[in-house]
Amino acid sequence: RSVSLRLYLCAWEVSEIKFVIWNTGNEKIEDINVKLDLTNLPFAPSESSTEQNIDRIYSDETGTVIFRIRILPDAEPKVYKIPVSMSYNQTKKDSLIGLDVQGKPELTVAIEENKAQIIGQAGEVAIRLVNEGLGNIKFLNVKLIESDSFDLISANSNYIGDLKSGETDTASFKIKPNEKNLVLKLSMSYKDQNNNDYTTTKNLELKVYTKEEAIKLGILKKDNSVYYTGIAGIITVYFILRYILKKRKK
C-alpha cells in the first residue's frame, strides 16, 4: 500500500527511512528484500545502499530495515514519490512512499549601497534581505535596536511579510549618526512553512564620515556662503564709503 512520510530537510541533510515489516501469516517468510528506486529523484543513499535484506521473519514477528538518504541541492520543496519494492518467498509487492520535502529558510542581511552617512546629518540606511534557503519565510519583521551612537528618526521596525526562497527585499531606516563607523544591530523575527518561530540578530558595520572627511573626499560640498557673504559685505561698505566721500567733496 502507499505510505506518506513527511520529512523536513535542507540541502545535503541526511534522514532515515525506517520500514517495519510484520509477518501476520502462520508461516515464516524468508529472503526478504526491500528496495528503494531513487532514479531521477534528487536523493542519494548515505552510508547505506538502496537495497536492504532480512534473512527471515517468523509468524507474528517483525523485522526492520533502515535507509539513510541525503537530499541533493537541486531538490525543490514539494512531495516526491519514491517507488518501493519488497520481495519474499518468491512473492513481490510494489508500493510508493511520498516524501514531503520542506526546505529550511535561510535569511541573510547586508547594508546596500547607500548615500554616504555623515555625523550630525540625517540619512536613510537600506538593508538588503535575501532568503537563500529552500523554504519560504512568513511574517518577516525587521527591527533596528536603538543606540546612543545614532538618533533614530523613522520607525524602528519594517514589516516585510512573505519572502519566498530566492527572493530579496529591502528594509529602510532613517537615522542621524552621532559618531564615526557605528554598528547597527538588527533583530529579525519570522516563521517558516510549518509555523516554526525564528528570531535572529545581526550586527552590521556602517561607514560614517565626519563633515571634514566628507568635504575632503568630495562627498559633501564646502559651504562657501560665509565667504560670499563677507565679500558682499565688504563691497557694500566700499560703495557706502565712496558715496559719503563724494558727498563731502561737494
Side-chain angles (χ1 to χ4, degrees):
R1 64 190 180 94
S2 296
V3 180
S4 179
L5 300 178
R6 193 176 185 84
L7 300 183
Y8 187 78
L9 301 173
C10 63
W12 296 111
E13 189 169 332
V14 175
S15 186
E16 289 186 348
I17 301 177
K18 180 188 290 186
F19 292 91
V20 179
I21 303 166
W22 180 24
N23 181 6
T24 58
N26 295 323
E27 303 289 335
K28 69 179 180 182
I29 56 176
E30 296 181 309
D31 301 324
I32 303 102
N33 175 272
V34 182
K35 184 177 181 180
L36 302 180
D37 185 1
L38 303 180
T39 305
N40 297 323
L41 293 172
F43 306 110
S46 175
E47 302 174 11
S48 68
S49 69
T50 57
E51 195 169 347
Q52 301 285 335
N53 296 290
I54 301 175
D55 291 336
R56 63 187 61 83
I57 302 175
Y58 292 98
S59 175
D60 203 30
E61 292 186 358
T62 60
T64 301
V65 293
I66 297 175
F67 297 92
R68 291 174 58 83
I69 64 168
R70 185 186 302 274
I71 184 171
L72 301 180
D74 58 346
E76 298 178 0
K78 66 177 185 178
V79 177
Y80 292 90
K81 294 181 179 181
I82 300 180
V84 181
S85 63
M86 183 175 69
S87 61
Y88 60 91
N89 292 357
Q90 298 182 342
T91 299
K92 184 178 179 182
K93 294 185 177 181
D94 295 318
S95 184
L96 290 172
I97 59 171
L99 265 63
D100 188 357
V101 177
Q102 299 187 4
K104 293 179 181 178
E106 184 179 343
L107 181 64
T108 61
V109 297
I111 295 178
E112 287 191 332
E113 291 294 330
N114 294 285
K115 182 179 178 182
Q117 302 295 320
I118 301 169
I119 293 177
Q121 295 190 14
E124 188 173 88
V125 179
I127 309 297
R128 179 180 172 86
L129 309 162
V130 184
N131 181 4
E132 296 183 346
L134 291 176
N136 297 330
I137 289 175
K138 302 189 300 182
F139 309 116
L140 173 59
N141 189 68
V142 182
K143 183 177 180 181
L144 176 60
I145 308 301
E146 297 188 48
S147 167
D148 293 336
S149 60
F150 62 87
D151 296 330
L152 183 59
I153 299 173
S154 65
N156 69 338
S157 66
N158 278 205
Y159 180 72
I160 305 299
D162 294 343
L163 194 63
K164 295 181 179 179
S165 175
E167 285 188 345
T168 64
D169 211 321
T170 302
S172 297
F173 302 94
K174 194 170 185 179
I175 66 169
K176 184 171 74 173
N178 296 324
E179 61 185 52
K180 286 188 62 177
N181 304 333
L182 53 86
V183 174
L184 300 180
K185 185 175 183 179
L186 298 172
S187 175
M188 286 77 63
S189 60
Y190 54 94
K191 293 179 181 288
D192 64 16
Q193 298 172 122
N194 294 318
N195 289 322
N196 295 312
D197 292 314
Y198 293 77
T199 300
T200 60
T201 58
K202 181 75 173 179
N203 293 332
L204 300 177
E205 294 183 359
L206 179 65
K207 179 70 174 177
V208 179
Y209 300 91
T210 64
K211 188 175 181 180
E212 293 75 18
E213 289 174 332
I215 292 173
K216 186 177 180 180
L217 294 170
I219 298 171
L220 189 66
K221 290 184 178 180
K222 189 174 182 178
D223 186 1
N224 293 316
S225 59
V226 174
Y227 171 78
Y228 290 122
T229 301
I231 295 295
I234 292 170
I235 293 172
T236 302
V237 171
Y238 168 77
F239 281 107
I240 291 172
L241 290 173
R242 185 178 177 184
Y243 173 78
I244 293 171
L245 291 173
K246 281 185 177 180
K247 200 168 185 182
R248 284 181 179 179
K249 285 180 179 180
K250 290 180 181 180

